[in-house]
Amino acid sequence: MGGDWLTKCAGSSSDSRCETLNIIRVFFGSLSFTFSLFMIFLIWLYKKYMFFSQRLILYLSIAALADTIPYMMGTVDHEFGCKAQGYLMTYFDWTCVAWVSVITANGYRLIKEEMSYESSESLFHLICWFIPALLAGIPFIWDAYGHSGPWCWIKGEKTMENVLRFLVWYGPVLVIVLGLSGLLIYLRVYIKRQNRSYETYNPEQENTKTAKWREVRILFTYPLVFVLLSIVPLVARVQMAFKSDTSFPLILITSITAPMLGAANTLLYSCSPDMRQQIKPSSIWNEIRHRKRQTLAESYNFTEESPGCDEALLAGPSSNGFT
């Protein structure tokens, strides 16, 4: 698999480069976990989940948060833990890819047909959580999970293991990245042509068009981020496959970008026009207080209504002459 220094990173190693890679992955994995958790909190706090497009972003955030777990595990020496880390890394990476693909497909339909895939939401959950579990389980057939340089993944010591790397991950992801890139470029051109096609000004039509384009632009930032973060890991894999010496800078950048999808998504989400004000500490605190008051009010209403209901039930027989 790559150069000698990288093969020596399997398990515990005194090589400073291996130690650096481990620290980097744990640090950025923890950072991305924190950012993802904050994004999920914002979506819950402001009830953004009421909207389908925001729920898709929520599902991606949950997948991105879970995807940081194997990175935060650091170097794992135990065989079972190593296999678990390899499986979790493959599984949650694929769940992120799946939800990014769903977001892209939904954005495409919003543009082309002016409707969403909300009716297929349950099907998307089945696809995005179950199919990755099957894909991640394939390497177990050949007992291929194990130490793979400074982390645990598909080992790459045998020809079949290298084939599995490309079949289970790099090959499909390369196709998906190229497909998403092409689709984003096509839709960008399509939107520009659509904007020029409006010959007369209609205020209602203009407001609808503006709202739709704003939602689509926000949705498409997430596939774009995924594509950008996938470039360096794919380049590193190609370099490792065709050169005898592995580039440390490439592996270092890969260690930074691989767990950073959640953090990058959170930064984008926070920079959206409607969230800039809402992420301020004062706004968050006010919303928390509002949610608390709302919860107390609902609880108070429930306790006020309950005795009345009980009294009505007790009074029922008497009023009907049964006593």
Side-chain angles (χ1 to χ4, degrees):
M1 52 170 281
D4 292 337
W5 73 269
L6 192 59
T7 60
K8 294 177 182 178
C9 286
S12 301
S13 173
S14 59
D15 193 308
S16 60
R17 288 172 293 186
C18 302
E19 294 175 356
T20 299
L21 291 176
N22 184 51
I23 293 172
I24 289 292
R25 285 166 63 85
V26 172
F27 173 77
F28 282 98
S30 303
L31 183 68
S32 190
F33 178 90
T34 304
F35 272 77
S36 298
L37 196 62
F38 179 63
M39 185 170 176
I40 293 169
F41 170 73
L42 289 176
I43 295 174
W44 167 82
L45 181 65
Y46 291 108
K47 297 185 178 181
K48 300 288 187 179
Y49 54 81
M50 301 294 291
F51 306 97
F52 177 61
S53 60
Q54 293 289 316
R55 288 201 299 277
L56 292 182
I57 296 172
L58 172 63
Y59 303 147
L60 175 60
S61 300
I62 293 172
L65 178 132
D67 192 38
T68 63
I69 294 173
Y71 295 99
M72 291 190 295
M73 291 171 66
T75 301
V76 181
D77 295 327
H78 191 273
E79 182 181 359
F80 177 80
C82 187
K83 292 181 184 294
Q85 185 184 48
Y87 175 82
L88 291 175
M89 191 176 297
T90 307
Y91 172 64
F92 288 123
D93 280 351
W94 265 116
T95 59
C96 290
V97 173
W99 283 116
V100 165
S101 301
V102 169
I103 288 173
T104 307
N106 187 64
Y108 177 85
R109 197 179 194 195
L110 281 173
I111 292 176
K112 300 290 287 186
E113 303 178 21
E114 299 190 0
M115 59 187 300
S116 72
Y117 280 112
E118 187 170 4
S119 61
S120 302
E121 188 171 356
S122 298
L123 177 62
F124 289 145
H125 277 291
L126 180 64
I127 293 172
C128 294
W129 299 115
F130 181 68
I131 300 299
L134 295 180
L135 290 172
I138 292 175
F140 280 120
I141 299 174
W142 288 272
D143 192 28
Y145 282 125
H147 289 291
S148 178
W151 46 76
C152 294
W153 193 50
I154 301 173
K155 289 178 284 191
E157 297 172 351
K158 303 174 183 178
T159 302
M160 188 59 201
E161 292 169 350
N162 285 313
V163 170
L164 283 172
R165 285 181 171 188
F166 281 91
L167 287 179
V168 172
W169 181 247
Y170 288 111
V173 168
L174 179 61
V175 172
I176 291 172
V177 166
L178 293 176
L180 289 176
S181 301
L183 185 59
L184 291 174
I185 293 171
Y186 165 75
L187 290 175
R188 179 64 178 171
V189 173
Y190 179 83
I191 290 173
K192 284 187 174 182
R193 289 178 178 174
Q194 285 291 103
N195 288 337
R196 289 197 297 265
S197 67
Y198 292 101
E199 298 178 356
T200 58
Y201 179 79
N202 183 312
E204 184 177 348
Q205 186 183 62
E206 189 68 21
N207 290 335
T208 302
K209 180 187 70 173
T210 302
K212 183 179 71 171
W213 292 155
R214 188 191 305 119
E215 182 178 6
V216 168
R217 280 197 302 269
I218 292 172
L219 281 177
F220 279 147
T221 55
Y222 298 97
L224 181 61
V225 166
F226 169 76
V227 168
L228 294 176
L229 290 177
S230 299
I231 291 174
V232 173
L234 287 173
V235 171
R237 171 49 52 191
V238 171
Q239 194 264 350
M240 290 170 65
F242 293 100
K243 288 192 175 182
S244 58
D245 187 29
T246 304
S247 169
F248 176 72
L250 272 180
I251 300 299
L252 179 64
I253 297 173
T254 298
S255 298
I256 296 172
T257 59
M260 284 297 287
L261 180 62
N265 287 343
T266 303
L267 292 175
L268 279 173
Y269 190 77
S270 302
C271 291
S272 61
D274 61 330
M275 289 302 300
R276 289 171 188 166
Q277 178 64 32
Q278 293 177 330
I279 62 171
K280 293 181 178 180
S282 57
S283 298
I284 292 175
W285 177 241
N286 287 336
E287 186 64 24
I288 291 174
R289 292 173 61 188
H290 172 71
R291 292 291 293 269
K292 284 184 177 180
R293 288 196 299 268
Q294 191 177 42
T295 303
L296 288 173
E298 291 174 354
S299 176
Y300 177 77
N301 289 335
F302 177 77
T303 55
E304 284 290 308
E305 292 172 2
S306 295
C309 294
D310 292 338
E311 289 170 7
L313 289 172
L314 291 171
S318 299
S319 61
N320 285 314
F322 286 104
T323 57

